[in-house]
Short mmCIF file of all heavy atoms in Angstrom, two decimals:
data_model
loop_
_atom_site.label_atom_id
_atom_site.label_comp_id
_atom_site.label_asym_id
_atom_site.label_seq_id
_atom_site.Cartn_x
_atom_site.Cartn_y
_atom_site.Cartn_z
N ILE A 129 0.80 -1.23 -0.01
CA ILE A 129 0.00 -0.01 0.00
C ILE A 129 0.84 1.27 0.00
O ILE A 129 0.33 2.34 -0.26
CB ILE A 129 -1.00 0.03 1.18
CG1 ILE A 129 -0.26 -0.01 2.50
CG2 ILE A 129 -1.99 -1.09 1.05
CD1 ILE A 129 -1.15 0.21 3.69
N LEU A 130 2.13 1.17 0.28
CA LEU A 130 3.00 2.36 0.26
C LEU A 130 3.64 2.58 -1.10
O LEU A 130 4.24 3.60 -1.33
CB LEU A 130 4.05 2.28 1.36
CG LEU A 130 3.49 2.27 2.78
CD1 LEU A 130 4.62 2.16 3.80
CD2 LEU A 130 2.65 3.51 3.05
N ARG A 131 3.50 1.61 -2.00
CA ARG A 131 4.06 1.72 -3.34
C ARG A 131 3.14 2.61 -4.19
O ARG A 131 1.94 2.62 -4.05
CB ARG A 131 4.13 0.31 -3.97
CG ARG A 131 5.08 0.24 -5.10
CD ARG A 131 5.32 -1.20 -5.47
NE ARG A 131 4.87 -1.34 -6.82
CZ ARG A 131 4.31 -2.39 -7.34
NH1 ARG A 131 4.10 -3.45 -6.62
NH2 ARG A 131 3.97 -2.41 -8.59
N ALA A 132 3.72 3.34 -5.11
CA ALA A 132 2.93 4.21 -5.97
C ALA A 132 2.13 3.35 -6.94
O ALA A 132 2.65 2.63 -7.74
CB ALA A 132 3.82 5.18 -6.73
N MET A 133 0.82 3.44 -6.82
CA MET A 133 -0.10 2.68 -7.65
C MET A 133 -1.10 3.65 -8.26
O MET A 133 -1.27 4.77 -7.81
CB MET A 133 -0.85 1.63 -6.81
CG MET A 133 0.04 0.59 -6.16
SD MET A 133 0.82 -0.51 -7.33
CE MET A 133 -0.57 -1.50 -7.84
N ARG A 134 -1.78 3.16 -9.28
CA ARG A 134 -2.87 3.92 -9.90
C ARG A 134 -4.18 3.33 -9.38
O ARG A 134 -4.37 2.12 -9.38
CB ARG A 134 -2.78 3.84 -11.40
CG ARG A 134 -3.92 4.60 -12.10
CD ARG A 134 -3.76 4.51 -13.57
NE ARG A 134 -2.87 5.60 -13.93
CZ ARG A 134 -2.66 6.02 -15.16
NH1 ARG A 134 -3.25 5.41 -16.16
NH2 ARG A 134 -1.84 7.00 -15.42
N TRP A 135 -5.08 4.22 -8.98
CA TRP A 135 -6.37 3.81 -8.41
C TRP A 135 -7.50 4.56 -9.07
O TRP A 135 -7.37 5.73 -9.40
CB TRP A 135 -6.42 4.15 -6.90
CG TRP A 135 -5.30 3.61 -6.11
CD1 TRP A 135 -4.05 4.18 -5.92
CD2 TRP A 135 -5.27 2.38 -5.40
NE1 TRP A 135 -3.29 3.36 -5.14
CE2 TRP A 135 -4.01 2.26 -4.78
CE3 TRP A 135 -6.20 1.38 -5.20
CZ2 TRP A 135 -3.63 1.18 -4.01
CZ3 TRP A 135 -5.85 0.29 -4.39
CH2 TRP A 135 -4.59 0.20 -3.83
N HIS A 136 -8.63 3.89 -9.30
CA HIS A 136 -9.87 4.57 -9.64
C HIS A 136 -10.58 4.83 -8.33
O HIS A 136 -10.74 3.92 -7.51
CB HIS A 136 -10.74 3.71 -10.58
CG HIS A 136 -10.18 3.61 -11.95
ND1 HIS A 136 -10.70 2.77 -12.88
CD2 HIS A 136 -9.17 4.28 -12.57
CE1 HIS A 136 -10.03 2.88 -14.01
NE2 HIS A 136 -9.08 3.79 -13.85
N VAL A 137 -11.00 6.05 -8.14
CA VAL A 137 -11.69 6.45 -6.91
C VAL A 137 -13.13 6.83 -7.30
O VAL A 137 -13.35 7.73 -8.10
CB VAL A 137 -11.01 7.66 -6.26
CG1 VAL A 137 -11.69 8.01 -4.93
CG2 VAL A 137 -9.52 7.41 -6.06
N LEU A 138 -14.10 6.11 -6.72
CA LEU A 138 -15.50 6.36 -7.02
C LEU A 138 -16.06 7.32 -5.97
O LEU A 138 -15.95 7.07 -4.77
CB LEU A 138 -16.29 5.04 -7.00
CG LEU A 138 -17.79 5.17 -7.29
CD1 LEU A 138 -18.07 5.76 -8.67
CD2 LEU A 138 -18.45 3.82 -7.16
N LEU A 139 -16.64 8.43 -6.46
CA LEU A 139 -17.26 9.43 -5.59
C LEU A 139 -18.75 9.48 -5.87
O LEU A 139 -19.20 9.30 -7.01
CB LEU A 139 -16.70 10.83 -5.88
CG LEU A 139 -15.21 11.08 -5.77
CD1 LEU A 139 -14.91 12.54 -6.09
CD2 LEU A 139 -14.69 10.73 -4.39
N ARG A 140 -19.51 9.76 -4.82
CA ARG A 140 -20.94 10.09 -4.97
C ARG A 140 -21.12 11.51 -4.43
O ARG A 140 -20.79 11.80 -3.27
CB ARG A 140 -21.83 9.12 -4.20
CG ARG A 140 -23.32 9.48 -4.39
CD ARG A 140 -24.27 8.51 -3.74
NE ARG A 140 -23.91 8.28 -2.34
CZ ARG A 140 -23.96 7.08 -1.76
NH1 ARG A 140 -24.32 6.03 -2.42
NH2 ARG A 140 -23.60 6.97 -0.49
N TRP A 141 -21.62 12.39 -5.27
CA TRP A 141 -21.83 13.78 -4.91
C TRP A 141 -23.16 13.94 -4.19
O TRP A 141 -24.07 13.11 -4.34
CB TRP A 141 -21.79 14.66 -6.17
CG TRP A 141 -20.43 14.64 -6.78
CD1 TRP A 141 -19.97 13.81 -7.75
CD2 TRP A 141 -19.33 15.48 -6.46
NE1 TRP A 141 -18.68 14.07 -8.05
CE2 TRP A 141 -18.24 15.09 -7.27
CE3 TRP A 141 -19.14 16.52 -5.56
CZ2 TRP A 141 -17.00 15.71 -7.20
CZ3 TRP A 141 -17.89 17.14 -5.50
CH2 TRP A 141 -16.84 16.73 -6.32
N GLU A 142 -23.29 15.01 -3.44
CA GLU A 142 -24.49 15.31 -2.67
C GLU A 142 -25.75 15.32 -3.57
O GLU A 142 -26.82 14.97 -3.12
CB GLU A 142 -24.32 16.64 -1.97
CG GLU A 142 -25.40 17.02 -1.02
CD GLU A 142 -25.09 18.32 -0.29
OE1 GLU A 142 -24.29 19.13 -0.80
OE2 GLU A 142 -25.63 18.48 0.79
N ASP A 143 -25.57 15.70 -4.83
CA ASP A 143 -26.72 15.75 -5.76
C ASP A 143 -26.99 14.39 -6.41
O ASP A 143 -27.86 14.29 -7.28
CB ASP A 143 -26.49 16.82 -6.83
CG ASP A 143 -25.33 16.57 -7.74
OD1 ASP A 143 -24.57 15.57 -7.55
OD2 ASP A 143 -25.12 17.34 -8.72
N GLY A 144 -26.26 13.34 -6.00
CA GLY A 144 -26.49 12.01 -6.52
C GLY A 144 -25.60 11.62 -7.68
O GLY A 144 -25.53 10.43 -8.03
N HIS A 145 -24.93 12.58 -8.30
CA HIS A 145 -24.04 12.30 -9.41
C HIS A 145 -22.83 11.45 -8.92
O HIS A 145 -22.38 11.63 -7.81
CB HIS A 145 -23.52 13.61 -10.02
CG HIS A 145 -22.59 13.44 -11.16
ND1 HIS A 145 -23.02 13.17 -12.43
CD2 HIS A 145 -21.24 13.47 -11.22
CE1 HIS A 145 -21.96 13.06 -13.24
NE2 HIS A 145 -20.88 13.25 -12.51
N ARG A 146 -22.37 10.53 -9.75
CA ARG A 146 -21.18 9.73 -9.42
C ARG A 146 -20.05 10.09 -10.38
O ARG A 146 -20.30 10.30 -11.57
CB ARG A 146 -21.48 8.24 -9.49
CG ARG A 146 -22.41 7.81 -8.37
CD ARG A 146 -22.64 6.34 -8.41
NE ARG A 146 -23.57 6.00 -7.33
CZ ARG A 146 -23.43 4.96 -6.53
NH1 ARG A 146 -22.43 4.14 -6.71
NH2 ARG A 146 -24.29 4.72 -5.59
N SER A 147 -18.85 10.12 -9.87
CA SER A 147 -17.66 10.42 -10.66
C SER A 147 -16.61 9.39 -10.36
O SER A 147 -16.51 8.89 -9.22
CB SER A 147 -17.10 11.80 -10.31
OG SER A 147 -18.01 12.82 -10.55
N THR A 148 -15.77 9.08 -11.35
CA THR A 148 -14.62 8.23 -11.13
C THR A 148 -13.37 9.08 -11.43
O THR A 148 -13.26 9.65 -12.51
CB THR A 148 -14.63 7.00 -12.05
OG1 THR A 148 -15.81 6.24 -11.79
CG2 THR A 148 -13.42 6.13 -11.82
N LEU A 149 -12.51 9.17 -10.45
CA LEU A 149 -11.28 9.93 -10.57
C LEU A 149 -10.10 8.97 -10.63
O LEU A 149 -10.24 7.82 -10.22
CB LEU A 149 -11.07 10.86 -9.35
CG LEU A 149 -12.25 11.77 -8.98
CD1 LEU A 149 -11.92 12.52 -7.70
CD2 LEU A 149 -12.53 12.73 -10.11
N VAL A 150 -8.97 9.44 -11.14
CA VAL A 150 -7.76 8.63 -11.14
C VAL A 150 -6.79 9.24 -10.12
O VAL A 150 -6.43 10.40 -10.22
CB VAL A 150 -7.11 8.61 -12.53
CG1 VAL A 150 -5.80 7.84 -12.50
CG2 VAL A 150 -8.06 7.99 -13.55
N TYR A 151 -6.43 8.42 -9.13
CA TYR A 151 -5.46 8.83 -8.11
C TYR A 151 -4.21 8.00 -8.32
O TYR A 151 -4.31 6.77 -8.50
CB TYR A 151 -6.00 8.61 -6.70
CG TYR A 151 -4.95 8.67 -5.63
CD1 TYR A 151 -4.30 9.85 -5.31
CD2 TYR A 151 -4.58 7.52 -4.94
CE1 TYR A 151 -3.34 9.90 -4.33
CE2 TYR A 151 -3.59 7.57 -3.97
CZ TYR A 151 -2.98 8.77 -3.67
OH TYR A 151 -2.00 8.81 -2.71
N GLU A 152 -3.06 8.64 -8.34
CA GLU A 152 -1.78 7.93 -8.46
C GLU A 152 -0.96 8.20 -7.20
O GLU A 152 -0.67 9.33 -6.90
CB GLU A 152 -1.01 8.42 -9.70
CG GLU A 152 -1.71 8.08 -10.99
CD GLU A 152 -0.95 8.59 -12.19
OE1 GLU A 152 0.02 9.35 -12.04
OE2 GLU A 152 -1.38 8.24 -13.31
N GLY A 153 -0.63 7.12 -6.49
CA GLY A 153 0.19 7.26 -5.31
C GLY A 153 -0.09 6.13 -4.34
O GLY A 153 -0.90 5.24 -4.59
N PRO A 154 0.58 6.19 -3.19
CA PRO A 154 0.37 5.17 -2.18
C PRO A 154 -0.94 5.41 -1.41
O PRO A 154 -1.43 6.54 -1.39
CB PRO A 154 1.57 5.34 -1.26
CG PRO A 154 1.90 6.80 -1.36
CD PRO A 154 1.58 7.16 -2.80
#
């Protein structure tokens, strides 16, 4: 988990919209 990896991060916004972001890091 401390190695730099690429992750898709799923968010749900207060208005119900969902977004997928790309996070790179540990």
Side-chain angles (χ1 to χ4, degrees):
I129 62 172
L130 296 179
R131 199 168 120 214
M133 298 292 288
R134 179 178 275 192
W135 306 86
H136 287 171
V137 184
L138 179 60
L139 302 181
R140 180 176 51 220
W141 294 91
E142 187 176 23
D143 65 356
H145 180 81
R146 290 183 182 223
S147 300
T148 301
L149 309 175
V150 176
Y151 165 68
E152 294 178 353

